[in-house]
Amino acid sequence: MTAPVPTADAARRLPLVLRNRAFGTVWLGQVLTQAAVRMFQVGVSWWLVAYAVTGGRGLASGLFMAVSTLPAVALAPVVARAVARFAHGALLRTAGATAGTAAAALAAWAYTSGLPLAAAYAATLALAACQAFFDPCLTTSVPELVDDEDIEAATGFELSTQSLASLGGALLGALIVDRAGVAGLAAGCAAAYALAAALIATVRFRTPAEAPAEGAGEPEGRRTLRGILAGLPYVRRILICFTAANLFTTAVFVVIPLYTKSVLGDGGGTIALLEASLGTGTLIGSFTGARVPGRPTTLGSCLLGVMALALALPGLFAGRYVLAGALVAAGWCVGVIGVRFVALFQRLVPAADKPGFFAVMQAVLGATFPVASLLFGLLGDHLSAQTLCLIQAAGLVPAACALALLREQDADVQPSADTPSTEQSAQLAATGGAR
């Protein structure tokens, strides 16, 4: 008896990464690069606190995290021009190969001699700069890899897997440092970047003439970024609230290694547990947030309050599982907030202004990360890590109160025709600015 031949409908039921080799290959390259850069950040941050620095651990770790986030903000105009000017496949290969070369050079240095702190800072700056080119270039190149009817699915798949790759890298970073040092960490990153560049080199990107004409017919002459925010006072006030909140929430990436070393006296295994707790909570929140009832600003103020309580607990009661539980709760709040407010902004921002608005949103929220890293790093050299947890909690209270005062304006918000689905909102939130 002859086996049935798969139909076109049956083929389309397969995941996009399996039925489209070009997209699947490039997606795998992105997973490798994102896991590598996160693994490097978590691993070196732990190395600074646990092994390399005896005095000023907070400043060393905070400065490192600040340096690792600067390129995405500072290079945004350069990245935009490069993505518009150069072939996307070549740009992706170059970014991956350059990052791999930098990581390999650091690994060789660490194997042959003692590694100075400046080399670690320079390496993270190079890796973060390469990633700042890689991610937006890949997102922009989606129409060159898939058919028109698959563009939405490809974009959603690419966005939703970013946080999973980052989580995987965060789990490995400190563990590798404890067992193989920075040399082993850098060698692993170099291998991941080299494999990503090699995979992308096998893919043929379609020319602009062959690619689907996504977005054709959109109005020209969009408003400036300042003009967009000036015309949306309600949205602007919400962004201000979350920018203030981010100064305290993003400090968790500095507090985690300091708390592990000084309060718990543990090693890389605990760092992995804590990073997994935060990442898991965020993912759960991202995919359940649309089902949480309440108007966005009312719910957002309540969630910031819950996050404040969660972060206060390890400040009052020291313990590995106390902090892990608090991070799960805080991550869930972040995920829900991301879903609800990305969806709200999709409703409120005019379609022609959305590209500019979401660019400025990411820049505004992302700019708080280096500030928070430096501030809490400096504080960590003079205050206990438990006190830092209490400061984080206290700092969220004014933002929660300010957001609560905006709740009455939600009554006038009506969904528009281009409001994203629950799944799209979750995917956007999983990668968005509420980090």
Side-chain angles (χ1 to χ4, degrees):
M1 185 173 181
T2 304
V5 178
T7 64
D9 289 340
R12 291 198 65 78
R13 284 196 293 270
L14 291 172
L16 182 61
V17 293
L18 296 181
R19 57 185 166 85
N20 185 319
R21 189 195 71 82
F23 176 75
T25 302
V26 175
W27 166 80
L28 181 57
Q30 184 192 35
V31 170
L32 288 168
T33 62
Q34 288 179 334
V37 73
R38 186 72 181 126
M39 182 171 72
F40 188 82
Q41 290 172 356
V42 172
V44 174
S45 180
W46 173 240
W47 172 72
L48 290 170
V49 170
Y51 300 101
V53 178
T54 53
R57 288 172 174 156
L59 176 59
S61 177
L63 180 60
F64 174 80
M65 294 304 296
V67 167
S68 69
T69 56
L70 281 176
V73 178
L75 295 178
V78 178
V79 170
R81 288 194 295 270
V83 172
R85 180 177 178 183
F86 297 107
H88 294 153
L91 190 57
L92 290 170
R93 291 194 303 271
T94 301
T98 302
T101 302
L106 186 72
W109 193 340
Y111 271 123
T112 56
S113 62
L115 187 68
L117 297 185
Y121 289 109
T124 197
L125 191 64
L127 298 188
C130 291
Q131 202 68 33
F133 283 90
F134 194 99
D135 289 336
C137 182
L138 187 144
T139 301
T140 306
S141 68
V142 164
E144 302 169 23
L145 299 168
V146 303
D147 296 329
D148 183 69
E149 61 268 23
D150 289 327
I151 286 177
E152 184 179 36
T155 302
F157 196 88
E158 178 236 331
L159 292 177
S160 63
T161 53
Q162 288 181 5
S163 54
L164 292 174
S166 296
L167 176 59
L171 287 173
L172 292 173
L175 291 173
I176 292 175
V177 166
D178 278 350
R179 288 161 176 76
V182 174
L185 178 74
C189 292
Y193 280 117
L195 180 56
L199 286 171
I200 293 170
T202 67
V203 175
R204 176 185 175 273
F205 288 71
R206 289 183 289 195
T207 64
E210 298 173 305
E214 184 186 29
E218 289 185 359
E220 298 181 358
R222 294 187 179 98
R223 290 187 289 175
T224 64
L225 300 183
R226 179 177 295 181
I228 291 172
L229 291 181
L232 299 166
Y234 178 51
V235 171
R236 186 176 67 246
R237 287 193 288 269
I238 292 175
L239 281 181
I240 290 172
C241 290
F242 282 118
T243 299
N246 261 22
L247 283 171
F248 299 92
T249 58
T250 55
V252 72
F253 296 106
V254 175
V255 173
I256 284 176
L258 292 175
Y259 197 103
T260 301
K261 179 66 176 179
S262 63
V263 177
L264 302 178
D266 289 341
T270 296
I271 294 287
L273 169 67
L274 299 178
E275 290 282 353
S277 300
L278 181 62
T280 300
T282 303
L283 284 173
I284 294 172
S286 296
F287 289 101
T288 61
R291 292 189 287 273
V292 179
R295 292 174 176 168
T297 49
T298 303
L299 178 62
S301 64
C302 292
L303 290 172
L304 287 180
V306 171
M307 202 184 310
L309 290 174
L311 293 176
L313 281 177
L316 299 172
F317 307 101
R320 179 188 299 105
Y321 297 109
V322 173
L323 181 55
L327 290 175
V328 170
W332 179 80
C333 292
V334 167
V336 175
I337 286 172
V339 168
R340 297 302 297 272
F341 281 90
V342 167
L344 177 66
F345 295 154
Q346 290 279 16
R347 295 184 181 100
L348 295 179
V349 178
D353 291 335
K354 284 180 182 178
F357 170 78
F358 284 112
V360 75
M361 182 189 79
Q362 295 288 359
V364 168
L365 295 177
T368 63
F369 197 102
V371 176
S373 298
L374 284 173
L375 175 61
F376 277 80
L378 285 168
L379 290 175
D381 289 333
H382 304 283
L383 303 173
S384 70
Q386 287 184 272
T387 303
L388 295 183
C389 292
L390 296 176
I391 293 174
Q392 283 184 277
L396 290 175
V397 174
C401 294
L403 195 61
L405 296 177
L406 303 176
R407 66 184 182 275
E408 295 302 326
Q409 301 189 42
D410 281 339
D412 297 328
V413 176
Q414 298 295 330
S416 64
D418 55 356
T419 298
S421 66
T422 298
E423 182 180 357
Q424 288 173 305
S425 298
Q427 290 160 347
L428 286 166
T431 63
R435 190 176 189 186

